[in-house]
Amino acid sequence: MAERSQTAPEAGNDMGNEDAIGGNVSKYTVLPSGYCGQPKKGHLIFDACFESGNLGRVDQVSEFEYDLFIRPDTCNPRFRVWFNFTVENVKESQRVIFNIVNFSKTKSLYRDGMAPMVKSTSRPKWQRLPPKNVYYYRCPDHRKNYVMSFAFCFDREEDIYQFAYCYPYTYTRFQHYLDSLQKRNMDYFFREQLGQSVQQRQLDLLTITSPDNLREGAEQKVVFITGRVHPGETPSSFVCQGIIDFLISQHPIARVLREHLVFKIAPMLNPDGVYLGNYRCSLMGFDLNRHWLDPSPWAHPTLHGVKQLIIQMYNDPKTSLEFYIDIHAHSTMMNGFMYGNIFEDEERFQRQAIFPKLLCQNAEDFSYSSTSFNRDAVKAGTGRRFLGGLLDHTSYCYTLEVSFYSYIIGGTTAAVPYTEEAYMKLGRNVARTFLDYYRLNPLVERVAIPMPRLRCPTSLSWPGASPWTPLVGLEDLSQGYLPP
């Protein structure tokens, strides 16, 4: 890497020069020192003024190297992880090194082979950079902060290139997805607005179940699922979409689940943070997943709305709130795994382990060995901990984590990088596991009708499965799967 001048700015650990970052760069052209005149090809133009964008500052180190500063979460300088920006006005075969210099975390999957995502206007599908082009190290030029550097060669002058920490999943994409589901007029899919965020974005609540379960006086077994309380944890949205896609499909397992369970899903608890390109916080700088104990209706309105609904269901004698699952992404661990609670009642503690054990059988990327149960003080304000203390012994509360980077298949050591489809596949397997948990497998035969695109496995990995049960992973959802 090029040697920096003594006057080059430094990134601070908490504040430092972060106060120089007031917002995202907007069509910022980097010109060589002393250059006058119109920008030429190769004078890079950086932009992050778009939905879920994040890039706070660009410093040119040399003609070939740039220091990039993540904009901290709004109203909270502690969190600097998510980045998402574009680069244009490139020259063909132009080689550059980008250094992300102000991460707020030191531990990172970049040490284990993770690489940033890239796409361009002529190649709109996100892909990971080759790991051999990515370096993660302590940098003496930045107060020994950890820096992630990646080398890149631009190959098409007319393209706009976009780089991101992980696959983006924006609020607008989410709204278009829900709009497309509503237009299908499914009698077992209901969408309502549970409230609004501080910036008046929708807090959507989905109910997926047979209409018979919603008739007056009907008893309900409810599975409540939430996602994106931490806005930069985009894999949460792909897992959530996988769950939804499967539950609304005509797959025999989905049909049985709709008959016996009521699924309540709030897929995006922090729409303002998602829109703004924050990593962990809301518009006002709150980590919402630490405010479940006493959410404010004005400062944490989405959390307040969900909590009120959960308490209302808990107090309804006709409603049994059986599961609460909050979906997150993890920045330092591989695989999918869960966090659960610790109880004095040994039998309750053992019963809580059943669902993650079943999920481990169904999903090759889910690790039961990484699943843990705790009650550490720092997690006291999380949804899992608060609701685990509120609900009775028949309810189970989990945090479902999935790696930002990869999973390791049992018996191997090779890391398999996650794709958007692999995240959604985990969601489908989460949904499918409720069939095993409630021992509904024999009922699948009654609703199963021949579907030519379903494949029959020669050996099944769960007890009581019917001949219509598909291969683990549910690759074909018949009419239910919508591509991203």
Side-chain angles (χ1 to χ4, degrees):
M1 311 228 172
E3 183 178 330
R4 292 166 174 77
S5 69
Q6 294 302 307
T7 57
E10 293 180 340
N13 289 323
D14 250 341
M15 293 294 287
N17 270 15
E18 300 306 321
D19 54 4
I21 300 175
N24 283 328
V25 295
S26 177
K27 297 293 184 182
Y28 176 71
T29 307
V30 180
L31 299 174
S33 178
Y35 179 85
C36 295
Q38 292 296 314
K40 297 179 179 178
K41 278 288 185 184
H43 293 164
L44 301 185
I45 299 174
F46 293 82
D47 187 45
C49 274
F50 50 84
E51 186 178 0
S52 294
N54 186 310
L55 182 64
R57 197 169 98 209
V58 180
D59 291 347
Q60 186 174 32
V61 178
S62 74
E63 181 184 354
F64 309 103
E65 188 172 355
Y66 302 81
D67 284 350
L68 309 181
F69 293 76
I70 296 168
R71 171 187 52 77
D73 283 8
T74 53
C75 302
N76 194 324
R78 287 182 56 203
F79 300 107
R80 304 179 302 276
V81 176
W82 174 258
F83 59 85
N84 183 12
F85 61 92
T86 62
V87 180
E88 57 187 295
N89 198 43
V90 306
K91 194 159 55 175
E92 188 175 345
S93 301
Q94 183 176 2
R95 298 174 183 272
V96 297
I97 294 173
F98 291 141
N99 309 308
I100 309 280
V101 300
N102 67 333
F103 282 113
S104 57
K105 283 189 170 186
T106 55
K107 290 183 179 179
S108 174
L109 285 164
Y110 288 121
R111 298 181 303 185
D112 302 305
M114 187 166 106
M117 312 301 306
V118 64
K119 71 174 185 176
S120 72
T121 42
S122 67
R123 290 154 294 188
K125 184 177 175 62
W126 287 102
Q127 53 188 299
R128 293 186 188 274
L129 293 175
K132 62 183 175 64
N133 292 1
V134 182
Y135 310 89
Y136 188 71
Y137 57 98
R138 275 189 185 275
C139 181
D141 290 312
H142 290 285
R143 299 181 183 177
K144 297 187 178 178
N145 280 359
Y146 274 86
V147 168
M148 186 273 291
S149 297
F150 61 97
F152 192 79
C153 180
F154 298 106
D155 59 348
R156 299 184 185 177
E157 292 195 351
E158 300 310 313
D159 270 17
I160 299 173
Y161 293 78
Q162 186 171 351
F163 301 90
Y165 180 82
C166 192
Y167 303 97
Y169 195 113
T170 64
Y171 172 76
T172 297
R173 171 176 176 166
F174 172 57
Q175 291 299 310
H176 288 163
Y177 169 63
L178 294 188
D179 290 345
S180 71
L181 297 187
Q182 262 191 304
K183 289 175 183 174
R184 294 166 62 179
N185 294 318
M186 298 170 282
D187 66 355
Y188 46 79
F189 173 85
F190 308 89
R191 176 189 183 186
E192 60 188 296
Q193 185 173 314
L194 190 57
Q196 288 187 318
S197 67
V198 174
Q199 287 188 317
Q200 306 300 297
R201 294 187 178 90
Q202 286 187 197
L203 170 61
D204 287 285
L205 177 71
L206 312 180
T207 302
I208 302 173
T209 191
S210 166
D212 288 345
N213 295 326
L214 300 179
R215 71 183 189 279
E216 190 173 347
E219 294 189 356
Q220 298 182 355
K221 288 184 176 180
V222 175
V223 174
F224 207 109
I225 297 171
T226 55
R228 288 302 279 282
V229 70
H230 291 148
E233 296 177 7
T234 57
S236 167
S237 284
F238 293 104
V239 175
C240 231
Q241 181 172 327
I243 293 172
I244 297 165
D245 283 339
F246 180 66
L247 290 176
I248 63 172
S249 75
Q250 290 306 307
H251 195 285
I253 294 176
R255 292 158 69 185
V256 168
L257 291 176
R258 292 197 298 266
E259 288 176 7
H260 289 82
L261 299 168
V262 177
F263 291 89
K264 297 277 187 181
I265 307 176
M268 195 170 280
L269 289 183
N270 192 346
D272 290 348
V274 169
Y275 189 89
L276 293 166
N278 286 353
Y279 174 66
R280 195 172 181 91
C281 296
S282 66
L283 166 77
M284 299 170 71
F286 293 111
D287 179 348
L288 295 182
N289 205 36
R290 296 296 182 271
H291 289 274
W292 278 92
L293 292 173
D294 188 25
S296 158
W298 66 271
H300 326 112
T302 57
L303 217 59
H304 182 267
V306 170
K307 180 180 175 180
Q308 293 299 109
L309 175 62
I310 289 175
I311 291 175
Q312 177 186 327
M313 290 192 297
Y314 176 63
N315 292 327
D316 182 350
K318 294 285 189 181
T319 301
S320 174
L321 184 51
E322 311 238 318
F323 281 87
Y324 171 76
I325 300 177
D326 189 27
I327 307 175
H328 289 251
H330 208 282
S331 64
T332 63
M333 292 182 67
M334 306 282 201
N335 300 94
F337 58 94
M338 279 179 154
Y339 292 124
N341 296 316
I342 289 178
F343 303 106
E344 303 302 333
D345 180 351
E346 179 64 21
E347 183 192 355
R348 185 183 184 189
F349 179 71
Q350 293 298 331
R351 279 188 282 125
Q352 182 188 218
I354 294 173
F355 187 86
K357 284 180 178 178
L358 291 171
L359 179 55
C360 188
Q361 292 177 23
N362 291 337
E364 65 178 3
D365 57 319
F366 185 85
S367 168
Y368 184 75
S369 62
S370 296
T371 292
S372 63
F373 304 91
N374 62 61
R375 54 181 172 197
D376 51 319
V378 73
K379 302 290 182 70
T382 64
R384 165 180 63 89
R385 283 288 304 283
F386 167 73
L387 293 172
L390 169 73
L391 304 177
D392 61 29
H393 65 93
T394 63
S395 304
Y396 301 103
C397 301
Y398 306 93
T399 300
L400 172 62
E401 298 273 2
V402 61
S403 175
F404 272 111
Y405 171 40
S406 70
Y407 58 95
I408 298 175
I409 299 175
T412 72
T413 57
V416 181
Y418 271 107
T419 61
E420 295 181 16
E421 169 57 24
Y423 286 129
M424 289 191 277
K425 180 177 175 180
L426 176 59
R428 300 198 292 270
N429 281 325
V430 168
R432 182 255 171 278
T433 300
F434 288 105
L435 188 85
D436 299 332
Y437 182 85
Y438 288 102
R439 300 179 180 176
L440 298 171
N441 306 75
L443 300 179
V444 174
E445 292 177 342
R446 300 180 189 174
V447 300
I449 55 175
M451 293 184 182
R453 288 190 291 164
L454 286 179
R455 294 185 293 166
C456 272
T458 53
S459 62
L460 300 172
S461 59
W462 53 87
S466 79
W468 292 106
T469 310
L471 288 168
V472 174
L474 305 168
E475 277 79 4
D476 190 332
L477 296 181
S478 187
Q479 301 172 37
Y481 174 64
L482 291 175

